[in-house]
Amino acid sequence: MDNQLQATPICGRHRALNALMAPFGGWDMPIQYEGIIAEHSWCRTSSSLFDICHMGEFIFQGDFEAGGLEDVFTFSVKTIPLGRSRYGFLLNEQGGIIDDLIVFRLAEDKVMIVVNAATAPKDFAAIKGRLRGGVFTDITAATGKLDLQGPLSRYVMVELLGEEVATIPYFKFITMNILGVEAIVSRTGYTGELGYEIFIPTEKVCELWDLLLTDERVKPAGLGARDVLRLEVGYSLYGSDIDEETTPLEAGLEGFVNFDTSFVGRDALLRLKDQGVTRKKVAFEVAGRRSPRHHYDLCSGGEVVGNVTSGVFSPMLGKGIGIGFIKPELTAIGTPLTISHERVSMEATVCELPFFKDGSVRA
Amino acid sequence: MSMYFTKEHEWVKVEGNLGTVGISDHAAHELGDITFVELPKIGAVVKQFGVLGSIESVKAASDIFAPLSGNVVKVNDALELAPEAVNESAEGAGWMAQIEIANESELKNLMNQEQYNDYLKTL
């Protein structure tokens, strides 16, 4: 066992369930319990519980403009309505993505910033370096996070936690009392299904985990299923699909960049917009059950024209799917590609996202 | 009928001059949900420990090696549409190919069931 790995409060329960554990973002995390495909199907049809305590949470309190927070992300913080959250990026000077994150507007002068586990320390340093005032704190250790995702999640939440969950719209959240403490329940997730992300003080997170699992419609799911679920709906994974060498323009995520705001990386993105990108995100379906995998080559006319950044066998589509980066002229829907790696070769076709279109996310 | 194993976790069941080949229960369990099996072509000539095919799970892709040299005389086509049979019965219905054994003396390079069980304990 790697002593450097951090463990979430739920770790003992994962082991008791005989989960397969592996390092992820510096944490010892459950990859699967009964099996990735079984857990994936359960989430698409019922309700799955994920331990997401590894993700980072920061609080900023103060004047967003005077404190400098307004210029940190690719979107405006002050225009997020109370009780709503917004997805976007923290960029470097070159426009590369330091992290993708969600900002929750908790109060007139207060937000919570939710970031990826592996990048949390560098995110904190980058944000802090750009602030001119306000109080900025890392509350990761004090904050437990559980995701309940799947079409039946609303019924489970209402029955176990309270009626007020019933009417939370997509990308809105409420603060409510759970197990005697104040918790945040947000209608967001990473699966393409109706679901919730729950933020609760660390000391109560095991009790909440146990409570949610008392409902027979709920089963635990690991990061393996989570990766298949997110890829089927085309969500990017930081570290695989996007990183500091990739800009939101190349990654097809320009919709989460507001050029009317000022932010670090804006000038670089405007220059790149002007010049045009040399590679662009592409989604493709394989003819058959083979899986494209990270680092496999994307080829056209016998030449390597790009690379796969995420790929998997999609249980919903019954074939291999993937995303990668390629010369922009080859991103038209229907373009044939060959995916190649050592002895492996498979034919694929450029398609639109999401791969799986029937999720309950907005139900 | 005897069963022999490789260190790469393939098995071969020998009946007369025919060897039926698959991956072990242990290997199937380690791979997790199997989503694709690449079978050899009938008539292919394979060498002991040479590549016979490949197998993919949600987690990983790996080659399958031939436990013995010979000619491929039969393949388990059912795996093309239902590769999960390997998870359900790796050492039975999840067999992959049948080989006409070229050289039975190569069996000395393989482990019997008992040796394989001991080998698994060392992993």
Side-chain angles (χ1 to χ4, degrees):
Chain A
M1 176 59 54
D2 188 339
N3 291 327
Q4 306 297 97
L5 287 182
Q6 292 185 265
T8 78
I10 321 285
C11 194
R13 283 161 168 79
H14 301 320
R15 294 196 180 283
L17 288 164
N18 213 10
L20 172 71
M21 306 291 288
F24 181 86
W27 294 71
D28 190 26
M29 296 301 292
I31 301 304
Q32 64 173 62
Y33 303 87
E34 56 175 322
I36 291 173
I37 290 183
E39 291 161 34
H40 161 279
S41 324
W42 193 263
C43 185
R44 289 262 180 258
T45 53
S46 189
S47 179
S48 294
L49 182 60
F50 299 83
D51 173 9
I52 308 296
C53 291
H54 59 308
M55 282 182 78
E57 294 90 10
F58 311 144
I59 294 282
F60 175 89
Q61 187 150 23
D63 186 309
F64 300 147
E65 280 180 288
L69 190 70
E70 193 59 16
D71 302 331
V72 170
F73 307 118
T74 58
F75 53 87
S76 164
V77 172
K78 68 178 183 195
T79 60
I80 305 173
L82 281 175
R84 280 207 177 266
S85 53
R86 195 168 278 171
Y87 172 84
F89 307 102
L90 175 67
L91 302 181
N92 61 28
E93 291 285 352
Q94 294 73 44
I97 301 172
I98 297 174
D99 202 5
D100 64 334
L101 44 84
I102 297 185
V103 174
F104 293 74
R105 183 77 182 265
L106 302 182
E108 202 50 52
D109 64 344
K110 190 177 176 187
V111 292
M112 177 171 71
I113 303 155
V114 179
V115 303
N116 282 299
T119 50
K122 73 169 182 173
D123 295 347
F124 189 82
I127 297 168
K128 197 167 175 60
R130 294 175 194 182
L131 295 175
R132 299 182 294 268
V135 181
F136 184 53
T137 36
D138 183 346
I139 59 159
T140 305
T143 310
K145 178 175 184 288
L146 299 180
D147 289 9
L148 190 73
Q149 302 273 308
L152 303 187
S153 299
R154 183 186 284 129
Y155 307 118
V156 174
M157 293 287 284
V158 166
E159 284 173 37
L160 292 177
L161 301 177
E163 188 61 40
E164 56 264 57
V165 178
T167 53
I168 311 174
Y170 189 47
F171 264 80
K172 267 196 107 169
F173 67 89
I174 59 168
T175 315
M176 64 185 286
N177 187 300
I178 296 177
L179 300 168
V181 294
E182 191 173 274
I184 292 170
V185 176
S186 167
R187 246 311 278 291
T188 40
Y190 198 49
T191 61
E193 296 299 333
L194 165 73
Y196 303 88
E197 298 184 280
I198 309 166
F199 301 88
I200 188 165
T202 301
E203 61 271 19
K204 286 288 181 181
V205 72
C206 286
E207 206 180 319
L208 178 59
W209 171 271
D210 294 342
L211 174 66
L212 291 169
L213 284 177
T214 58
D215 191 305
E216 62 184 17
R217 292 167 293 190
V218 179
K219 283 187 181 182
L223 295 186
R226 187 170 159 92
D227 190 52
V228 180
L229 291 158
R230 70 93 192 168
L231 188 52
E232 283 187 327
V233 288
Y235 295 159
S236 298
L237 173 62
Y238 193 87
S240 289
D241 306 312
I242 50 176
D243 54 29
E244 290 215 39
E245 312 300 315
T246 309
T247 69
L249 303 186
E250 292 153 335
L253 298 166
E254 196 179 330
F256 301 101
V257 179
N258 181 356
F259 285 102
D260 296 334
T261 63
S262 69
F263 54 87
V264 174
R266 181 173 176 272
D267 294 346
L269 290 191
L270 285 174
R271 274 196 306 275
L272 189 60
K273 229 166 126 74
D274 209 37
Q275 293 162 0
V277 295
T278 55
R279 58 186 195 118
K280 215 166 180 296
K281 180 165 93 173
V282 68
F284 40 84
E285 288 179 353
V286 173
R289 298 178 59 101
R290 278 207 115 122
S291 302
R293 291 177 199 267
H294 190 70
H295 288 319
Y296 282 14
D297 289 330
L298 291 173
C299 305
S300 172
E303 271 182 65
V304 176
V305 290
N307 62 292
V308 176
T309 53
S310 280
V312 78
F313 172 77
S314 161
M316 297 312 288
L317 278 73
K319 53 184 154 187
I321 57 169
I323 55 182
F325 285 79
I326 199 170
K327 293 178 177 173
E329 57 269 30
L330 293 168
T331 54
I333 307 295
T335 306
L337 297 173
T338 304
I339 299 168
S340 141
H341 177 72
E342 295 170 356
R343 248 177 16 85
V344 173
S345 173
M346 59 192 108
E347 299 307 314
T349 309
V350 174
C351 66
E352 60 176 13
L353 286 176
F355 299 102
F356 171 62
K357 297 172 172 59
D358 301 326
S360 59
V361 64
R362 288 169 189 277
Chain B
M1 177 177 72
S2 321
M3 205 156 167
Y4 299 86
F5 295 85
T6 69
K7 286 191 169 178
E8 303 287 342
H9 309 284
E10 291 87 11
W11 55 263
V12 56
K13 260 179 207 164
V14 180
E15 289 168 279
N17 69 335
L18 292 179
T20 306
V21 176
I23 65 164
S24 71
D25 288 332
H26 169 83
H29 183 257
E30 287 293 301
L31 281 165
D33 292 314
I34 290 162
T35 53
F36 174 78
V37 179
E38 180 196 24
L39 298 166
K41 298 230 176 344
I42 289 174
V45 178
V46 293
K47 279 209 167 108
Q48 188 176 35
F49 306 135
V51 174
L52 179 71
S54 64
I55 190 158
E56 297 190 1
S57 71
V58 182
K59 284 185 280 186
S62 35
D63 284 331
I64 303 165
F65 300 100
L68 294 169
S69 305
N71 284 321
V72 175
V73 293
K74 212 165 147 186
V75 295
N76 187 0
D77 293 330
L79 298 183
E80 283 172 6
L81 288 175
E84 59 273 15
V86 180
N87 289 116
E88 287 153 14
S89 175
E91 297 180 14
W95 66 278
M96 287 162 195
Q98 202 167 57
I99 293 171
E100 193 172 39
I101 299 169
N103 183 356
E104 202 163 327
S105 72
E106 288 176 348
L107 285 171
K108 70 177 187 301
N109 303 325
L110 303 177
M111 293 173 274
N112 63 27
Q113 182 80 60
E114 197 183 336
Q115 289 166 324
Y116 180 65
N117 293 346
D118 288 341
Y119 171 66
L120 289 181
K121 286 176 203 152
T122 68
L123 299 181

